[in-house]
Amino acid sequence: MLVPATEMLQKAVEGHYAVGAFNLNNLEWTKTILSTAQELNSPVILGVSEGAGKYMTGFKTVKAMVSAMMEAMNITVPVALHLDHGTYDACYECIKAGFSSIMFDGSHYPIEENLAKTTELVKIAHAMGLSIEAEVGAIGGEEDGVIGMGECADPDECKMISDLGIDFLAAGIGNIHGKYPANWQGLSFDTLAAIKAKIGDKPLVLHGGTGIPADQIRKAIDLGVAKINVNTECQLYFAEATRKYIEEGKDLQGKGYDPRKLLAPGVEGIHTIVAEKIRLFGSDGKA
Ligand code: 13P
């Protein structure tokens, strides 16, 4: 059964570990993330961006696919189906589609507007039994070939948003989506500690999990991060394994062109990354 992410993240804060939020891109991703979480007896969050949702023909399709797969695969670990970086409209769509969790990303609005929209969505999400994440301090990434350095959120604004009753908070601490530039300064632990001091035990979310060194991940978890988002790293491993298969001419041998065979090395790549992250975050055996 799909569950809101609140309880699994509160347990993570108490137990000093984090739950991985892995983005879905297609059927292979969904199946592999679910089976890996089950194999390691770990709670898991399936993140769905608006773009990926659209690619899979809509949030309703994604919800139907995830529910049917969980039943067919006998998935018993807690799974949250979560909208990633949702607009106001997408939040409503996901509530209607039967998601168990949403993220409203109002970080690009002036703080007053972010507060007003988050307040409304907290009310509706909770009335419908969903958990809700909000964001302060935009978490950027590569735009037009330029990689931003990552903003740091204002701890006072974090407290204002946290006090609206959201279940977990994404705050920029120098993290960005996608690959980190060679001269990246690392996470700002001073910012993280200042935010934690303001918001207490509310679970914090670290976006841009790809490429953050393991020691920084462990320190972030020590300072209250309980949900870590990973997307690009699975994509990179998938692409690399698929390229190798084709470069070795395996698609030209026998029925190597069969998509089930052609995509198998990439799927193994996703499995490797998801398993590695679950162990690094410490959520294995915590289902
Ligand atoms: P990466 O693609 O950098 O792993 O970030 C994923 C993410 O934060 C999704 O919200």
Side-chain angles (χ1 to χ4, degrees), residues 202-273:
K202 184 144 303 193
L204 281 161
V205 182
L206 182 63
H207 283 250
T210 294
I212 299 177
D215 58 328
Q216 292 192 37
I217 292 279
R218 285 193 203 97
K219 192 163 174 190
I221 293 173
D222 277 349
L223 288 169
V225 163
K227 170 177 180 272
I228 304 178
N229 293 14
V230 179
N231 185 24
T232 306
E233 210 159 324
C234 290
Q235 296 185 348
L236 291 169
Y237 268 72
F238 181 87
E240 190 181 312
T242 309
R243 178 169 8 91
K244 188 162 172 271
Y245 181 90
I246 293 179
E247 278 176 358
E248 287 173 355
K250 294 198 174 141
D251 57 318
L252 301 172
Q253 295 164 16
K255 286 203 173 175
Y257 55 82
D258 176 340
R260 282 174 282 175
K261 291 199 169 73
L262 191 138
L263 298 180
V267 164
E268 193 43 45
I270 301 170
H271 172 260
T272 305
I273 293 298

Side-chain angles (χ1 to χ4, degrees), residues 267-281:
V267 164
E268 193 43 45
I270 301 170
H271 172 260
T272 305
I273 293 298
V274 173
E276 190 184 296
K277 297 297 175 195
I278 286 177
R279 290 196 177 100
L280 172 63
F281 302 162

Side-chain angles (χ1 to χ4, degrees), residues 60-248:
K60 253 176 93 176
T61 310
V62 177
K63 156 71 173 68
M65 174 176 70
V66 170
S67 293
M69 271 190 190
M70 285 176 63
E71 191 184 325
M73 295 165 71
N74 290 320
I75 301 295
T76 54
V77 296
V79 178
L81 181 58
H82 177 75
L83 169 65
D84 189 29
H85 291 286
T87 56
Y88 177 84
D89 290 342
C91 285
Y92 276 98
E93 278 176 47
C94 285
I95 292 169
K96 263 202 280 182
F99 275 43
S100 62
S101 188
I102 52 172
M103 172 185 187
F104 171 59
D105 182 354
S107 62
H108 49 286
Y109 290 118
I111 186 70
E112 296 74 25
E113 200 170 346
N114 191 359
L115 285 164
K117 288 194 160 70
T118 303
T119 304
E120 179 191 325
L121 288 161
V122 165
K123 220 173 177 179
I124 169 102
H126 286 169
M128 301 295 287
L130 285 81
S131 49
I132 177 165
E133 171 180 351
E135 178 171 324
V136 183
I139 297 154
E142 188 174 328
E143 268 172 60
D144 300 328
V146 179
I147 307 179
M149 281 297 173
E151 280 182 33
C152 283
D154 173 348
D156 289 318
E157 290 188 0
C158 289
K159 171 145 176 64
M160 280 189 249
I161 292 272
S162 175
D163 284 350
L164 301 178
I166 57 158
D167 300 292
F168 33 106
L169 176 74
I173 53 165
N175 46 325
I176 55 166
H177 296 112
K179 293 181 189 172
Y180 284 86
N183 58 346
W184 180 54
Q185 307 291 306
L187 296 176
S188 168
F189 293 110
D190 290 346
T191 307
L192 181 53
I195 295 169
K196 172 82 183 155
K198 294 266 179 191
I199 70 162
D201 278 344
K202 184 144 303 193
L204 281 161
V205 182
L206 182 63
H207 283 250
T210 294
I212 299 177
D215 58 328
Q216 292 192 37
I217 292 279
R218 285 193 203 97
K219 192 163 174 190
I221 293 173
D222 277 349
L223 288 169
V225 163
K227 170 177 180 272
I228 304 178
N229 293 14
V230 179
N231 185 24
T232 306
E233 210 159 324
C234 290
Q235 296 185 348
L236 291 169
Y237 268 72
F238 181 87
E240 190 181 312
T242 309
R243 178 169 8 91
K244 188 162 172 271
Y245 181 90
I246 293 179
E247 278 176 358
E248 287 173 355

